[in-house]
Amino acid sequence: MGYRILEPADVAAYLNERGHWPDPSDITVREVSDGNMNRVFLARSADGTRRLAVKQALPWVRVAGPSWPMSPERADAEARAYEQVAKVAPDKIPAILGYDPENYALVMEDMSDLEVLRTLLNDGASYGPHTSTRIGEFVAQLTFATSDFGMESAARKALLAASVSPELCKITEDVVLAEPYIEHEHNHWHADLTDLATEFRADTRLRTEVADLRHTFMSSAQALLHGDLHTGSVMVGEREGAPVVRVFDPEFSFVGPIGYDLGLYWANVLVSEERARALGLLSDHADQLALSWTAFETEFRRLWPTRTDTFFDDAYLDRFLHRVWTDSVGYAGTEIIRRVIGFAHLTDLTTLPDPVPASRRALKIGRELILRREKLTNPSDVRAVVVGL
Ligand code: SR1
Ligand code: MG
């Protein structure tokens, strides 16, 4: 039948055809598309005992429409990433019930009993003791397993080849790691940030450091990444009295530098802190970078003795983790900056009564993290940047 774009009215028949829904007359479907890229539908039976989510990739960027074409094959990358994570961290992703490559559609667990982390934070919630720890573990488990430490050489080369994702990587190379530092039609910002946006574009030292991070993104095939690990890609809540953290939306997945995943999370953590500061709602925001880094490092070190290639010795592990740390700090800086003066902004800042003071602080933190990343060697050093502004 070929690729067809699903509308809410098509979902009942679609799920029935695919063997996921026996009685298509007992279904209510609603569209809950929220991110920049795709459409998402939730289906439930009248008594609520059957509930599913369907995510479909469109042949364009959803928020831009057909004027920004984008291959729906990004859904293949997402399905592949879920497959890899399911092997090592099944408790940290939604259950995937099927992938339909013809329609670029994933059928998965409905997580509407959980909340998007960004939404909760924007509403004034704190992180709680588990979220950032689970995120750090998630990054360690996925990246160790898909690195040269976790896989035999030939299998790893095959993963690398299968995970090439040129179009999605190009989005990141452009919208995160270049456009905010040049004049580009995608860029926009609050009028009262023009001085900083102009300053950043004229800053040749900043540009060279971003070029370095951009080149590392393009060429450092350390491990399979989530690729877009912001607080809108995390759901949290409680099930049967136990805390639940689920990472979703890995469509930007590819084999790249581990620091990109950690850095994206940290940027979003730091921006959430600026929102909370602006609203007088600071709680545990300042702990989250350290918590996620410690969890990442602890889990990576725990897995180290299982490495497939013992030529990599313990001293090399220290060096490798130091490189990951430094990259993460730099990518956190680039993610903050692009979220304020680039294409895709964050509701954390845009919904503030006055977004300017928090946005200015965020931009300055981002710049410091990029420029001083080699000198900031631990979470306390990053803290000093944040409190020192
Ligand atoms: C055109 S896409 C802009 C952003 O949305 C996605 O969530 C990624 O973060 C991407 O950079
Ligand atoms: Mg997304």
Side-chain angles (χ1 to χ4, degrees), residues 36-37 61 68 171-172 175-176 228 230 252 338-339 343-344:
N36 293 317
M37 307 290 287
V61 173
W68 190 341
I171 290 186
T172 301
V175 305
V176 184
D228 198 22
H230 54 76
F252 281 80
R338 71 97 169 205
R339 293 298 195 177
F343 173 72

Side-chain angles (χ1 to χ4, degrees), residues 3-218:
Y3 175 37
R4 59 195 155 127
I5 294 177
L6 297 172
E7 296 299 334
D10 304 324
V11 172
Y14 176 77
L15 284 174
N16 179 255
E17 270 165 39
R18 301 282 308 170
H20 295 292
W21 208 277
D23 178 4
S25 68
D26 178 20
I27 192 169
T28 307
V29 176
R30 66 190 170 104
E31 184 174 353
V32 291
S33 310
D34 184 31
N36 293 317
M37 307 290 287
N38 307 296
R39 295 184 83 177
V40 180
F41 306 96
L42 296 182
R44 60 171 285 149
S45 61
D47 65 6
T49 52
R50 188 177 286 276
R51 290 173 13 200
L52 286 179
V54 182
K55 174 176 176 182
Q56 186 178 41
L58 298 169
W60 49 73
V61 173
R62 187 181 70 84
V63 291
S67 68
W68 190 341
M70 186 63 51
S71 166
E73 282 169 21
R74 58 186 183 272
D76 296 343
E78 179 160 358
R80 269 197 310 268
Y82 275 133
E83 243 177 66
Q84 289 296 331
V85 186
K87 294 182 201 165
V88 289
D91 55 326
K92 298 186 184 70
I93 51 170
I96 304 301
L97 305 168
Y99 177 56
D100 168 9
E102 197 175 2
N103 286 296
Y104 305 105
L106 273 161
V107 177
M108 63 179 99
E109 170 190 359
D110 168 16
M111 299 190 288
S112 55
D113 57 321
L114 308 177
E115 285 281 1
V116 174
L117 177 58
R118 188 189 308 289
T119 308
L120 280 179
L121 294 168
N122 280 355
D123 288 346
S126 56
Y127 282 80
H130 305 286
T131 304
S132 293
T133 298
R134 293 291 95 75
I135 296 298
E137 289 167 0
F138 167 85
V139 176
Q141 288 161 352
L142 172 61
T143 61
F144 184 89
T146 56
S147 70
D148 278 305
F149 316 127
M151 293 180 89
E152 296 293 345
S153 176
R156 187 113 150 130
K157 302 295 183 289
L159 174 76
L160 226 151
S163 308
V164 169
S165 182
E167 263 192 302
L168 279 275
C169 283
K170 185 79 171 84
I171 290 186
T172 301
E173 289 157 19
D174 290 347
V175 305
V176 184
L177 299 167
E179 288 170 8
Y181 310 91
I182 56 175
E183 276 187 40
H184 195 283
E185 62 184 6
H186 284 159
N187 295 333
H188 58 105
W189 55 78
H190 191 289
D192 293 345
L193 303 174
T194 301
D195 58 331
L196 283 177
T198 309
E199 213 176 289
F200 282 23
R201 288 210 301 254
D203 187 337
T204 52
R205 200 160 66 95
L206 183 61
R207 168 134 174 190
T208 306
E209 294 309 323
V210 174
D212 186 41
L213 289 160
R214 187 171 192 253
H215 194 222
T216 299
F217 180 88
M218 291 166 157

Side-chain angles (χ1 to χ4, degrees), residues 255-269:
V255 178
I258 297 170
Y260 191 73
D261 269 1
L262 287 171
L264 243 72
Y265 184 67
W266 294 354
N268 284 264
V269 159

Side-chain angles (χ1 to χ4, degrees), residues 251-282:
E251 70 196 307
F252 281 80
S253 179
F254 77 111
V255 178
I258 297 170
Y260 191 73
D261 269 1
L262 287 171
L264 243 72
Y265 184 67
W266 294 354
N268 284 264
V269 159
L270 291 168
V271 170
S272 78
E273 178 178 343
E274 292 314 316
R275 175 187 175 84
R277 190 189 316 286
L279 294 173
L281 294 173
L282 275 177

